[in-house]
Amino acid sequence: MIYKIGSLGVEKLSLVTVIGAGPAGLRCAELIANEGFEVTVLEEHTTVGRPVQCAGLVSETGLSELELGLNQEDYVVNSIYGAKMVSPHNVVLKVRKKKPVAQVIDRFKFDQLLYKRALKAGAKVALGTKLIDITESSLFLEAKGRGELMKSNVVVAADGPNSLVRNTTHPKIGGESFVHGFQYRVEGSFDKKMVELHFGSYAKGFFAWVIPESETIARIGIGAKLGQDIEKRMKVFMQEKKFDVKILSKSSALIPVINPLKQLVGTNTLLLGDAAFQTKATTGGGIVMGLNAAEIAAESVANNLKHNSPLKEYENNIAPVNKELALHWKIRAYLNSLNDHKLDDLFAKAKNAGIEAFLEEHGDMDKPSRFVKKILLKPRLWGLAPTAMRFILG
Ligand SMILES: Cc1cc2nc3c(=O)[nH]c(=O)nc-3n(C[C@H](O)[C@H](O)[C@H](O)COP(=O)(O)OP(=O)(O)OC[C@H]3O[C@@H](n4cnc5c(N)ncnc54)[C@H](O)[C@@H]3O)c2cc1C
């Protein structure tokens, strides 16, 4: 970082500034630094990866396709082989594969590993430094109770679901586009190979989950539309399912759940990760999608700095990610349109049609386009064709 005396006192200068040291911001910074460009990450918290506000379930394919250069043993706490999905009145779909389909990760360790890689690549990370305002290339910061001014040619906003950059530079997005996520880490007895997804009016607009870390520890959580007492809903869910557990800790945060944003680039800003609504609206998972998008954003920033190509390139190159995200949103919007009885009917119809065996063979947590069309090719599943067509045709 270079310092100079500007009209408002000492100004810091950085060629590229990434706001937010979450997975998306750190990965993007690492890749930009690898291209030889000066990049500074600003993070309001004093420790990367804290507080943890995530269930940490990541698809195995997503992780391996990303090629992050990390050893899974360093951050994976459990391997998941399948899912039990429970409808409001207990129609159960069970999908179980022979190999792990997903990993439960330690988000603190994962973020710390990405942090170390970003530093090793040459990125600078300013912890305890909060962006408080932004106008074009000027960033107004607060660090250790003092105000600072920073100038940057390019700003990557990876500042999470409440993104200050997005709220400042884009039209406001209402609360209806978020789900309130709430989670307990608990001690009890669990099938460590299976996650559970529960649908019902306690989790209106989303679902509740059980993600085991081991046979005795799990992350039990719930998401629901904003404006409802989420902890109360969690209690209703826990009572209804008669969980016999000891609560170890709790956390809560927003999950963006809407169609992906199309306008991601401002004059010199790019939105990335949760800030750009790059989360899967079906499950709220944003780690793999945000990391995918980070690669695309880093390439667009590097091309801008090397060849002066427009940052808008990012909006074109992100199209394949957005296509999958849009499909997740269509599925979510459809599920949200069903009342509890209709959800039961859908589960029963899908079960009778053999969806469990189909998903065991073709299911994909991140890319529904990989299996939705295949439903039409299986005569047994033709009963679900009208539902599948809804997602294919839009
Ligand atoms: C309850 C819950 C469960 C979830 N479970 C899963 C799951 O199982 N699998 C999955 O894939 N995803 C899950 N997610 C979503 C996942 O956590 C996010 O998609 C992911 O963390 C997004 O990464 P990011 O880097 O875009 O943003 P974040 O991880 O939110 O990082 C943003 C960073 O920016 C910093 N920041 C914000 N504002 C400022 C500012 N003004 N100045 C400086 N720094 C700032 C924040 O402190 C933070 O460190 C879950 C989310 C919730 C809430």
mmCIF file of all heavy atoms in Angstrom, residues 107 164 227 241 260 283 294 356 367 370 383:
data_model
loop_
_atom_site.group_PDB
_atom_site.id
_atom_site.type_symbol
_atom_site.label_atom_id
_atom_site.label_comp_id
_atom_site.label_asym_id
_atom_site.label_seq_id
_atom_site.Cartn_x
_atom_site.Cartn_y
_atom_site.Cartn_z
ATOM 1 N N ARG A 107 -15.676 -23.912 8.991
ATOM 2 C CA ARG A 107 -15.593 -22.640 8.262
ATOM 3 C C ARG A 107 -14.445 -21.764 8.760
ATOM 4 O O ARG A 107 -13.822 -21.037 7.989
ATOM 5 C CB ARG A 107 -16.908 -21.862 8.376
ATOM 6 C CG ARG A 107 -17.851 -21.938 7.190
ATOM 7 C CD ARG A 107 -17.271 -21.482 5.870
ATOM 8 N NE ARG A 107 -16.958 -20.074 5.774
ATOM 9 C CZ ARG A 107 -17.788 -19.138 5.355
ATOM 10 N NH1 ARG A 107 -19.020 -19.440 5.025
ATOM 11 N NH2 ARG A 107 -17.401 -17.879 5.256
ATOM 12 N N LEU A 164 -22.417 -3.104 2.002
ATOM 13 C CA LEU A 164 -22.520 -1.639 2.012
ATOM 14 C C LEU A 164 -22.295 -1.096 0.602
ATOM 15 O O LEU A 164 -22.951 -0.146 0.180
ATOM 16 C CB LEU A 164 -21.470 -1.063 2.972
ATOM 17 C CG LEU A 164 -21.454 0.448 3.028
ATOM 18 C CD1 LEU A 164 -22.001 0.925 4.357
ATOM 19 C CD2 LEU A 164 -20.078 1.017 2.816
ATOM 20 N N GLY A 227 -38.742 -11.109 9.336
ATOM 21 C CA GLY A 227 -39.909 -10.536 9.997
ATOM 22 C C GLY A 227 -40.615 -11.539 10.887
ATOM 23 O O GLY A 227 -41.696 -11.271 11.401
ATOM 24 N N LYS A 241 -39.975 -32.118 16.169
ATOM 25 C CA LYS A 241 -39.139 -33.266 15.782
ATOM 26 C C LYS A 241 -38.589 -34.008 16.994
ATOM 27 O O LYS A 241 -37.862 -34.993 16.844
ATOM 28 C CB LYS A 241 -37.973 -32.799 14.893
ATOM 29 C CG LYS A 241 -38.416 -32.121 13.609
ATOM 30 C CD LYS A 241 -39.118 -33.089 12.673
ATOM 31 C CE LYS A 241 -39.785 -32.358 11.526
ATOM 32 N NZ LYS A 241 -40.557 -33.229 10.640
ATOM 33 N N PRO A 260 -30.272 -14.306 -9.173
ATOM 34 C CA PRO A 260 -28.969 -13.620 -9.087
ATOM 35 C C PRO A 260 -29.050 -12.227 -9.696
ATOM 36 O O PRO A 260 -29.788 -12.003 -10.656
ATOM 37 C CB PRO A 260 -28.054 -14.516 -9.925
ATOM 38 C CG PRO A 260 -28.960 -15.299 -10.803
ATOM 39 C CD PRO A 260 -30.228 -15.485 -10.039
ATOM 40 N N THR A 283 -30.987 -23.964 -1.362
ATOM 41 C CA THR A 283 -30.394 -24.382 -0.085
ATOM 42 C C THR A 283 -29.738 -23.250 0.696
ATOM 43 O O THR A 283 -29.384 -23.437 1.857
ATOM 44 C CB THR A 283 -29.289 -25.431 -0.331
ATOM 45 O OG1 THR A 283 -28.244 -24.792 -1.103
ATOM 46 C CG2 THR A 283 -29.808 -26.642 -1.083
ATOM 47 N N ALA A 294 -15.548 -15.866 -7.843
ATOM 48 C CA ALA A 294 -14.297 -15.166 -7.510
ATOM 49 C C ALA A 294 -13.266 -15.357 -8.621
ATOM 50 O O ALA A 294 -12.526 -14.433 -8.972
ATOM 51 C CB ALA A 294 -13.747 -15.686 -6.183
ATOM 52 N N GLU A 356 -35.915 -41.117 -5.769
ATOM 53 C CA GLU A 356 -34.756 -41.395 -4.898
ATOM 54 C C GLU A 356 -33.636 -42.067 -5.700
ATOM 55 O O GLU A 356 -32.478 -41.636 -5.661
ATOM 56 C CB GLU A 356 -35.180 -42.274 -3.711
ATOM 57 C CG GLU A 356 -36.067 -41.511 -2.730
ATOM 58 C CD GLU A 356 -36.953 -42.414 -1.901
ATOM 59 O OE1 GLU A 356 -37.575 -43.323 -2.497
ATOM 60 O OE2 GLU A 356 -37.036 -42.213 -0.680
ATOM 61 N N LYS A 367 -25.500 -27.835 -9.478
ATOM 62 C CA LYS A 367 -25.911 -27.544 -10.852
ATOM 63 C C LYS A 367 -27.162 -28.339 -11.223
ATOM 64 O O LYS A 367 -27.065 -29.413 -11.841
ATOM 65 C CB LYS A 367 -24.751 -27.840 -11.808
ATOM 66 C CG LYS A 367 -23.557 -26.960 -11.477
ATOM 67 C CD LYS A 367 -22.480 -26.992 -12.508
ATOM 68 C CE LYS A 367 -21.438 -25.940 -12.159
ATOM 69 N NZ LYS A 367 -20.123 -26.215 -12.650
ATOM 70 N N ARG A 370 -27.851 -30.046 -14.556
ATOM 71 C CA ARG A 370 -27.263 -31.343 -14.906
ATOM 72 C C ARG A 370 -28.280 -32.476 -14.777
ATOM 73 O O ARG A 370 -28.071 -33.546 -15.302
ATOM 74 C CB ARG A 370 -26.052 -31.642 -14.012
ATOM 75 C CG ARG A 370 -24.823 -30.834 -14.396
ATOM 76 C CD ARG A 370 -23.640 -31.158 -13.485
ATOM 77 N NE ARG A 370 -22.450 -30.426 -13.885
ATOM 78 C CZ ARG A 370 -21.366 -30.303 -13.133
ATOM 79 N NH1 ARG A 370 -21.302 -30.860 -11.946
ATOM 80 N NH2 ARG A 370 -20.331 -29.618 -13.566
ATOM 81 N N GLY A 383 -44.371 -38.583 -14.761
ATOM 82 C CA GLY A 383 -45.385 -37.944 -13.913
ATOM 83 C C GLY A 383 -44.892 -36.604 -13.380
ATOM 84 O O GLY A 383 -45.677 -35.722 -13.036
#
